[in-house]
Amino acid sequence: MTSGPGLAGAERPAPPASPSSDGGRRRWRVRRSPRTTPRSTLTRGAGLGLGLAMTWFSLLVLLPLAAIVATAGENGVSRYLDVLRNDQTWAAVTLTVGQAALVTIVNVVVGTVIAWVLVRDAFPGKALLNVVIDIPFALPTIVAGLVLLSLYGPKSPLGVDWAFTRYAVFLALAFVTLPFVVRTVQPVLEELDADVEEAAASLGAGRATILRRIVLPALTPAITAGAALSFARAISEYGSLVLLSGNKPFATEVVSVRVLTFIENGNQASAAALASVMLAVALAVIVLLDVVQRRVARRG
Amino acid sequence: MSIEVRGLNKSFGDFVALSDVNVSLPTGQLTALLGPSGGGKSTLLRIIAGLDTADSGSVTIEGVEATHLPPQKRNVGFVFQHYAVFKHMTVAKNVAFGLEIRKRPKAEIAEKVDELLRLVHLSQFAHRLPAQLSGGQRQRMALARALAVEPSVLLLDEPFGALDAKVRKELRDWLRRLHDEVHVTTVFVTHDQEEALEVADEIVVINEGRVEQVGAPDTLYDEPANDFVMGFLGEITRLGDVLLRPHDIAVSTAAVPDALAGRVTRVLRVGFEVRVSVETPQGETLVVMTRTHARSLGLDVDAAVWLRPEPGATTVPAAGSSLVR
Amino acid sequence: MASRPTTPSRPTTWLLRVIAIGYVFLLVAWPVGLLVQRTFSNGLGNLTDALGDPQVVSSLQLTGVIAVSATLINLVFGVTVSMLLVRYEFPGKRALSALIDLPLSVSPVVVGLALVLAYNTRDGVLGPVVQGVGLQIIFSTPGMVMATCFVALPLVVREVVPVLTEIGDDQEQAARSLGANGPQTFWRITLPSIKWAVAYGVVLSLARAVGEFGAVKVVSSNVANRSQTATLLVEAKYQNFQQDTAYATAFLLILVGIAALVVVALLRPSNEK
């Protein structure tokens, strides 16, 4: 073995005189993901930070949410189910889920169209459209209700009065969820390579085929994420409905309003029972988003 | 010895990055850690700098036991492949950073920054932001920044890896000249054998987490410890049961004793050299020769030739090797 | 861009354009415009009347106090959690990363209810503890701050995490190798690199905090001049048939929202440079 001046050790199990015997060792090892097991790399300061952050997070979020679940289960399964089986509650649930689903479908279609127009079209005023999209996020929900009342309420210049009807519920939900699909699809559409579409075109694909086979599949994860966010938001909406929908039982009362009524009547157990169902939906959406994101990340 | 590494082991999950590595690097030398990507050389450098921690083993820098010292207490300069410039600071501020951290007097800092920027030829860019510099200029700035704190060792992780070929060559020469001027113990990581052979006083070849060989560039080239080192430092081919360099083969057009008979299958001219593929009973052998030599032999496809190692050629046994095509 | 193979034909382009603009106009632009118009139906009268109403002024002050406190808390929490999520490995990291987003999809009413169930002094889980240290949370300002913190919790984290991930830790390692310790590295290197993302998260947090309604409504005693925020006041005034005051206050809140949008739009380009 040729040994340089600085080589102190580098002992090897097999003498290099017979390279055939260690031929197996020379095979390239496959580089696995460096961190397969959760392993802490926290320094002392970071550990302290994590402790404080987790304490605050627990006090603010985890413990109160756990209190809901505990209160909901306090009186046993049958009372829990009774709350959900109550006719008025059930009407609120079907209305909320139905309108939220409807709004989500509209968002998937119109939101994708808006994102497309913002990315691929060019016309004067596009920048303004881009800013207006964010207004629903920037406005307080109670103001959103008031704003919608001005066009669709009693003194409407359109001559319609949808206040206190199901249309009002739809409008409110559509307003507050408008940006979700647009803002998740837009960046993905922006980053879609023109090459891919050109490659498809050079292979003989027509416009419709490219849209269906190339563009839409690339957008699907973003559309799914946007739809999930907008469904979750619609299910849980409260503020924009207060002034607009009238909260009429069996007609325009949504789940959030029902929960608030329970709270105001001092019926915390029922409020918690219904709230726990909404929490479960929220958690399901979080899990769905996590799965979608991981799938996208894997695809790279 | 400036850096002493003893019995170093490091794994990421079930991937072994370093396995029982022992290296001693003398003061004032320019050393290259050479090896294929993923072979552990960057990990070794980062452990020396304290940016990664070893699972076991020890690191001593200038006689100080440094194994458990955080990076900011080791007094090493580190230069990153992607420059790691502080984007929000001007060039001068970048270079001054380490001195400001050490709370040196303002005048001293200004003087030192000035001197270093002159050394790396960036004086006229002192007040620019790094975004306005080219890749090569950024890396020179990063070097000045690392040198500002007068480190006991300077560590460079693939310093020219992100630059294009021409700038890389320039900076390589420049690093060699800079080292001759500054004389700080320098270790750089590279996967480019040409870079290592050209710049380094000494090369440590690392593969699959192990040190394969340590030596001066000529030693490694002429006396490789094994087929891996030989294959990594230059082209090799197989002749019978030995491995050797394709230009170390003597070709004759008439039978000679101890030579292997074969038939030319392909003749390819690349610039001034000619690459001849010869089919022998024991497999294909590649021979490289000058154009004049090939012409004088009159080699053509299907010609019968006899091959044997040139006298004094470096050879290693070929059995079991998977490195030759 | 117009040369892409998927560029639609002219009629389709126009159809899509009309759908997009029409939908946004009917749902957002026109209604907001109408409300602004109604605010100024008597010139500046509505606004000056509203700003002369002590109830309005005190509600705006309360909203200011709550929004600023909640945003400061979220700023510290958000930056800390972002650093932890991006720069460190620890057990439970993935769960924390997913749970951080939870507040965005929980109904504000449920948020309020959760805080009431946990902290009310009568039968809250932590009620006795809270009372023991002489603190009142529910039906008091701390409760409203907590509710506001809850709903705006992920906003800073969501802005900072991608930027931290993108800039990588090269610069921080370089600083460490040059002798900087943890705090020095954070203040001199990390924070300047993420400052625009932090600012963006703060603006979003602030806008969300100013506008919070449902969660605050549940935990507030909603007493005029004392525990009524601006959004609660809009509801109360509207239902009391003082619609002009409601419009004027709503207009002020819209201004805050639009201002936030403008600041964000200005921050974005400098952030991406």
Side-chain angles (χ1 to χ4, degrees), chain A residues 35 38-43 46 49-50 53-54 56-57 59-65 67-68 71 106 110 113-114 116-117 119-123 129 131-136 138-143 146-152 155 157-158 171 174-175 178 192-194 197-198 201 207 210 232 236 238-239 242-243 256 259-260 263 268 271-272 275 278-279 282-283 286 290 294, chain C residues 1 3-9 13 16-17 19-21 23-24 26-32 34-35 38 73-74 77 80-81 84 87-91 94 96 98-110 113-120 122-123 125-126 146-147 149-150 153 158 207 210-211 213-214 217-218 231 234-235 238-239 243 246-247 250 253-254 257-258 261:
Chain A
R35 294 190 182 100
R39 191 171 63 90
S40 172
T41 58
L42 295 171
T43 57
L50 181 65
M54 282 315 294
W56 174 239
F57 189 62
L59 286 177
L60 185 69
V61 177
L62 298 181
L63 194 124
L65 293 183
I68 287 189
T71 312
V106 170
V110 181
V113 167
I114 295 173
W116 177 274
V117 167
V119 175
R120 297 291 175 89
D121 202 353
F123 53 90
L129 178 66
V131 172
V132 174
I133 298 290
D134 274 337
I135 287 185
L139 288 198
T141 49
I142 187 78
V143 175
L146 203 58
V147 158
L148 286 171
L149 267 179
S150 65
L151 184 59
Y152 301 101
K155 287 185 277 178
L158 288 174
L171 279 173
F175 184 93
L178 168 70
L192 214 58
D193 280 334
E197 289 165 40
E198 280 160 10
R207 196 152 52 202
I210 300 177
S236 59
Y238 170 69
V242 175
L243 301 178
S256 293
V259 173
L260 195 75
I263 298 173
Q268 291 188 338
M278 299 175 74
L279 262 184
L283 266 177
I286 295 280
D290 196 57
R294 259 153 222 284
Chain C
M1 236 177 268
S3 63
R4 290 208 182 205
T6 43
T7 305
S9 58
T13 303
L16 293 177
R17 205 182 282 178
I19 291 175
I21 297 175
Y23 188 80
V24 174
L26 283 175
L27 194 61
V28 183
W30 195 2
V32 172
L34 274 177
L35 185 123
R38 281 187 192 170
I73 295 172
N74 280 353
F77 175 83
T80 309
V81 167
L84 289 167
R87 293 286 186 260
Y88 297 92
E89 292 296 325
F90 52 90
R94 185 176 166 185
L96 177 62
L99 282 174
I100 282 288
D101 277 345
L102 188 60
L104 282 189
S105 46
V106 175
S107 170
V109 177
V110 174
L113 174 65
L115 290 172
V116 168
L117 290 179
Y119 294 106
N120 81 78
R122 196 162 46 84
D123 57 359
V125 183
L126 288 184
M146 282 182 86
C149 273
F150 191 126
L153 191 71
R158 289 169 70 96
V210 166
F213 172 70
K217 181 172 174 174
V218 177
T231 50
V234 171
E235 183 199 21
Y238 190 83
Q239 285 171 343
Q243 296 182 349
Y247 284 137
L253 292 173
I254 290 180
I258 305 269
L261 282 186

Side-chain angles (χ1 to χ4, degrees), chain C residues 195-254:
Chain C
K195 64 181 174 200
W196 294 116
V198 172
Y200 188 63
V202 163
V203 172
L204 289 180
S205 262
L206 204 58
R208 184 79 174 83
V210 166
E212 183 44 35
F213 172 70
V216 167
K217 181 172 174 174
V218 177
V219 297
S220 160
S221 49
N222 205 352
V223 177
N225 293 322
R226 237 192 48 223
S227 56
Q228 193 175 50
T229 63
T231 50
L232 293 176
L233 176 115
V234 171
E235 183 199 21
K237 291 289 182 187
Y238 190 83
Q239 285 171 343
N240 275 342
F241 303 102
Q242 292 170 277
Q243 296 182 349
D244 291 342
T245 316
Y247 284 137
T249 313
F251 173 75
L252 292 174
L253 292 173
I254 290 180

Side-chain angles (χ1 to χ4, degrees), chain B residues 91-260:
Chain B
V91 171
K93 277 280 172 198
N94 263 277
V95 177
F97 183 85
L99 299 169
E100 282 177 4
I101 290 289
R102 284 164 175 75
K103 303 216 162 42
R104 296 280 167 77
K106 272 211 166 89
E108 185 193 323
I109 295 179
E111 194 182 330
K112 183 90 192 166
V113 168
D114 232 37
E115 177 196 324
L116 278 163
L117 286 180
R118 235 178 335 199
L119 184 71
V120 300
H121 308 300
L122 287 175
S123 297
Q124 69 271 42
F125 301 119
H127 300 293
R128 296 228 185 139
L129 284 174
Q132 297 163 282
L133 301 186
S134 71
Q137 290 170 332
R138 275 183 228 184
Q139 196 57 299
R140 288 194 335 242
M141 182 196 88
L143 206 54
R145 185 177 68 182
L147 288 173
V149 299
E150 290 170 6
S152 44
V153 292
L154 180 62
L155 307 173
L156 304 96
D157 188 4
E158 299 263 4
F160 313 130
L163 301 168
D164 61 49
K166 187 165 165 282
V167 181
R168 196 151 81 204
K169 233 174 156 59
E170 279 169 22
L171 276 189
R172 199 193 278 172
D173 295 344
W174 179 81
L175 174 68
R176 180 68 243 183
R177 272 184 275 123
L178 183 82
H179 181 262
D180 295 342
E181 238 173 279
V182 186
H183 280 308
V184 57
T185 309
T186 305
V187 183
F188 77 102
V189 160
T190 181
H191 62 264
D192 180 347
Q193 82 283 357
E194 198 186 313
E195 193 165 287
L197 290 171
E198 210 178 298
V199 180
D201 298 320
E202 181 165 275
I203 299 177
V204 179
V205 181
I206 297 181
N207 181 40
E208 296 192 349
R210 292 159 186 277
V211 174
E212 299 277 358
Q213 191 175 1
V214 182
D218 291 352
T219 317
L220 292 197
Y221 197 85
D222 296 338
E223 300 162 41
N226 54 42
D227 53 342
F228 174 81
V229 175
M230 183 162 181
F232 200 76
L233 259 65
E235 200 173 23
I236 51 174
T237 189
R238 179 177 176 153
L239 179 62
D241 49 11
V242 295
L243 296 176
L244 72 176
R245 308 228 178 267
H247 56 79
D248 275 349
I249 297 175
V251 180
S252 55
T253 45
V256 276
D258 300 331
L260 202 57

Side-chain angles (χ1 to χ4, degrees), chain A residues 10-123:
Chain A
E11 280 86 8
R12 297 144 52 119
S18 56
S20 58
S21 65
D22 64 354
R25 184 178 69 71
R26 297 207 172 279
R27 212 153 291 143
W28 293 89
R29 279 183 204 122
V30 180
R31 180 158 197 154
R32 302 214 177 82
S33 155
R35 294 190 182 100
T36 41
T37 45
R39 191 171 63 90
S40 172
T41 58
L42 295 171
T43 57
R44 205 184 315 149
L48 183 68
L50 181 65
L52 288 174
M54 282 315 294
T55 306
W56 174 239
F57 189 62
S58 306
L59 286 177
L60 185 69
V61 177
L62 298 181
L63 194 124
L65 293 183
I68 287 189
V69 178
T71 312
E74 217 162 48
N75 299 325
V77 178
S78 62
R79 279 294 313 277
Y80 183 82
L81 290 177
D82 281 349
V83 175
L84 304 183
R85 268 196 226 112
N86 170 293
D87 283 346
Q88 194 183 338
T89 308
W90 188 242
V93 169
T94 45
L95 173 75
T96 311
V97 172
Q99 293 297 324
L102 189 62
V103 160
T104 304
I105 293 167
V106 170
N107 274 331
V108 163
V109 177
V110 181
T112 309
V113 167
I114 295 173
W116 177 274
V117 167
L118 284 176
V119 175
R120 297 291 175 89
D121 202 353
F123 53 90

Side-chain angles (χ1 to χ4, degrees), chain B residues 16-82:
Chain B
V16 180
L18 294 175
S19 152
D20 191 29
V21 169
N22 296 282
V23 185
S24 308
L25 303 171
T27 307
Q29 264 198 0
L30 179 53
T31 308
L33 301 183
L34 174 68
S37 339
K41 54 196 188 317
S42 283
T43 308
L44 174 57
L45 196 75
R46 293 173 57 84
I47 290 175
I48 295 173
L51 298 171
D52 273 335
T53 44
D55 300 336
S56 62
S58 70
V59 176
T60 313
I61 300 173
E62 297 284 354
V64 179
E65 160 63 36
T67 315
H68 300 291
L69 280 183
Q72 68 264 30
K73 302 228 169 97
R74 296 193 181 201
N75 200 33
V76 297
F78 200 97
V79 174
F80 297 78
Q81 177 174 5
H82 298 285

